[in-house]
Amino acid sequence: QVHLVESGGGLVQAGGSLRLSCAASGSIFRLNAMGWYRQAPGKQRELVAAITSGGSTNYADSVKGRFTVSRDNAKNTVYLQMNSLTPEDTAAYYCNADITTYDLFSRIYWGQGTQVTVTS
């Protein structure tokens, strides 16, 4: 069994910063790509940023230059550094990971979500 646990969300003023963390634990044979999605009320869930096991990254256009995704493979953790936050970044943020477990099956796992609220 695999668990993804997010932390770091909260309330921040526009222009401020937050750092989200997502730690994976359990029967992990290999941690493949990891990423962050977000879902605002009334909107579809969208990809914010992703990072491969080799460190290649991609970002939604709306966050390029403001957000940085990184990972610590030794800790099975992915991070999202969010700077210059705007009210449009307000959403529930979800961690996502492609994980190969010891049965050698690869599956997509999701965290429970962490709320980010940016006030103007």
Side-chain angles (χ1 to χ4, degrees), residues 11-117:
L11 181 68
V12 64
Q13 287 189 329
S17 299
L18 283 174
R19 188 192 194 209
L20 305 183
S21 299
C22 173
S25 63
S27 302
I28 299 171
F29 175 73
R30 185 175 61 241
L31 201 54
N32 304 310
M34 303 184 78
W36 291 93
Y37 286 71
R38 67 186 180 186
Q39 187 167 19
K43 294 188 177 181
Q44 288 189 328
R45 190 172 295 190
E46 62 174 358
L47 174 67
V48 176
I51 184 168
T52 67
S53 57
S56 297
T57 59
N58 69 287
Y59 297 90
D61 288 343
S62 59
V63 307
K64 283 180 181 176
R66 301 188 298 122
F67 290 12
T68 301
V69 62
S70 61
R71 62 191 287 167
D72 184 334
N73 291 328
K75 295 181 179 179
N76 287 344
T77 300
V78 63
Y79 304 96
L80 185 68
Q81 178 66 44
M82 305 185 293
N83 299 328
S84 302
L85 285 160
T86 73
E88 288 69 38
D89 296 315
T90 295
Y93 283 71
Y94 296 90
C95 174
N96 161 287
D98 178 354
I99 296 174
T100 304
T101 47
Y102 286 113
D103 58 4
L104 300 184
F105 281 95
S106 294
R107 304 173 182 87
I108 301 296
Y109 294 86
W110 290 90
Q112 79 285 358
T114 186
Q115 180 66 35
V116 171
T117 302

